[in-house]
Amino acid sequence: MDFNKRIIKHFKDSAELKLKVKDALAKPIADGAQICFDCVTNDGKILCCGNGGSAADSQHFAAELINRFEKERPGMACIALTTDSSVLTSIANDYDYNQIFSKQVRALGLPGDCLLAISTSGNSPNVLAAIHAAHERSMRVIVLTGRDGGEMARALNANDVLICVEAKSTARIQEVHLLTLHCLCDIIDYHLLGE
């Protein structure tokens, strides 16, 4: 096995997918950034959730907003609902794993806040439950997903934004998700700071 060729193919496949979806994703990413900007500049907060790699993406996004992305600026209110092991395990133990995010959204979310819900399949039951909880709390939702958008895409209303990477490979979808999160950060910063 020539591992160099295999690695080069991963780079090529990743780059090709990013170029393939760039036009389709530009507007929803811009719309999602506008929701985030409006939220944090009107004393709201962004709640983020996902499982596995999407949990890591939630935490990455929160870190970029609370600390900074590429420019110095005040921190922005963003909470990854994936980080408090005591909260997560108590909800999973006392109730159900599918409620680990929705119970937090109901406790922490307020009208004017927004939810960034991440799932490569679009079918994660606990992330889907968080979307329903966000709607109950009059929060706008940004869904970052893949494939055909899954159940999460169908759960959105007219005020929400769907950013769907139409691909089958979880790894490739996650790579576009990371770029998307960086684009969101960049546009939020641009709204705040200009060029």
Side-chain angles (χ1 to χ4, degrees), residues 138-170:
S138 299
M139 297 167 59
R140 295 185 75 183
V141 177
I142 303 160
V143 163
L144 187 51
T145 188
R147 299 185 177 95
D148 67 354
E151 290 299 316
M152 289 167 48
R154 292 182 276 284
L156 300 182
N157 64 40
N159 294 317
D160 299 328
V161 171
L162 173 65
I163 304 170
C164 182
V165 181
E166 292 187 23
K168 292 182 181 169
S169 166
T170 297

Side-chain angles (χ1 to χ4, degrees), residues 50-134:
N51 297 288
S54 299
D57 285 343
S58 298
Q59 292 165 220
H60 184 147
F61 186 66
E64 302 283 27
L65 289 189
I66 291 170
N67 186 28
R68 69 179 185 95
F69 180 52
E70 291 187 320
K71 296 180 181 178
E72 294 300 328
R73 57 147 168 78
M76 298 181 189
C78 188
I79 301 169
L81 303 178
T82 56
T83 59
D84 190 328
S85 60
S86 294
V87 168
L88 294 170
T89 57
S90 70
I91 294 169
N93 184 63
D94 295 350
Y95 296 93
D96 181 62
Y97 187 78
N98 290 340
Q99 295 184 46
I100 62 170
F101 301 133
S102 58
K103 283 187 74 73
Q104 292 185 77
V105 170
R106 288 186 184 98
L108 300 171
L110 298 170
D113 291 345
C114 70
L115 174 71
L116 174 63
I118 309 174
S119 167
T120 56
S121 69
N123 293 315
S124 300
N126 55 9
V127 181
L128 183 61
I131 292 169
H132 294 308

Side-chain angles (χ1 to χ4, degrees), residues 1-19 169-176:
M1 161 67 58
D2 183 344
F3 290 117
N4 290 350
K5 285 184 181 175
R6 188 173 181 87
I7 291 164
I8 289 167
K9 183 176 183 332
H10 285 303
F11 273 82
K12 185 172 177 281
D13 290 349
S14 183
E16 285 176 356
L17 178 60
K18 288 170 184 156
L19 292 173
S169 166
T170 297
R172 299 292 87 86
I173 292 166
Q174 288 175 332
E175 289 157 8
V176 178

